[in-house]
Amino acid sequence: MAFAKKAAENYFRAEARVTLRISSFNLHQLEQKAIRKGLSHQTFIASVLHEYAAGHFKEMTMPEISTPSPAKHYLQKDARVTFRLTNRDLYTLKKKAAYKGLSYQTFIASV
């Protein structure tokens, strides 16, 4: 039993490499926020996703309002970001994505 417990602890401490595509505009925004915090953008993204996976953000539904659509280039997923997450965080994000019927990459890019 102790072996299984230790193996489970090590699994959740291990890291998984995640690559996703986001708009260069969003990447630039994330880089600016990371600089203000003194972090690399990969570390900043991983920390935000960890906080989300841990349930520290409230999910809110936004009322439907008519707003002008953003410029097309803001929506184009033309930047690729690679960062590391713990297996536990990745597992949690995959579960939340499956619950919403999305791939985990699409779900993470929308958080």
Side-chain angles (χ1 to χ4, degrees):
M1 182 70 170
F3 174 76
K5 188 174 185 178
K6 186 71 172 171
E9 287 174 4
N10 288 338
Y11 173 80
F12 287 124
R13 251 189 248 135
E15 292 184 349
R17 178 179 281 182
V18 177
T19 301
L20 59 101
R21 296 176 71 80
I22 62 174
S23 72
S24 56
F25 174 77
N26 285 342
L27 179 58
H28 179 72
Q29 297 290 75
L30 290 166
E31 287 170 338
Q32 294 302 311
K33 289 178 188 266
I35 288 169
R36 281 185 285 232
K37 295 213 178 256
L39 301 170
S40 70
H41 67 278
Q42 295 95 335
T43 302
F44 179 70
I45 292 168
S47 69
V48 169
L49 290 171
H50 170 73
E51 292 294 315
Y52 182 80
H56 295 281
F57 293 141
K58 273 186 161 178
E59 290 194 41
M60 301 174 66
T61 57
M62 299 298 289
E64 291 295 322
I65 55 174
S66 64
T67 57
S69 59
K72 191 174 184 179
H73 66 276
Y74 287 165
L75 301 177
Q76 291 177 342
K77 294 183 177 173
D78 54 359
R80 199 173 277 208
V81 182
T82 301
F83 53 92
R84 294 187 177 276
L85 290 174
T86 63
N87 285 329
R88 176 182 225 153
D89 288 344
L90 184 58
Y91 174 78
T92 302
L93 292 167
K94 283 182 175 181
K95 276 180 55 176
K96 289 184 178 201
Y99 178 75
K100 294 191 178 214
L102 300 170
S103 72
Y104 77 93
Q105 295 96 335
T106 303
F107 179 72
I108 290 172
S110 71
V111 168

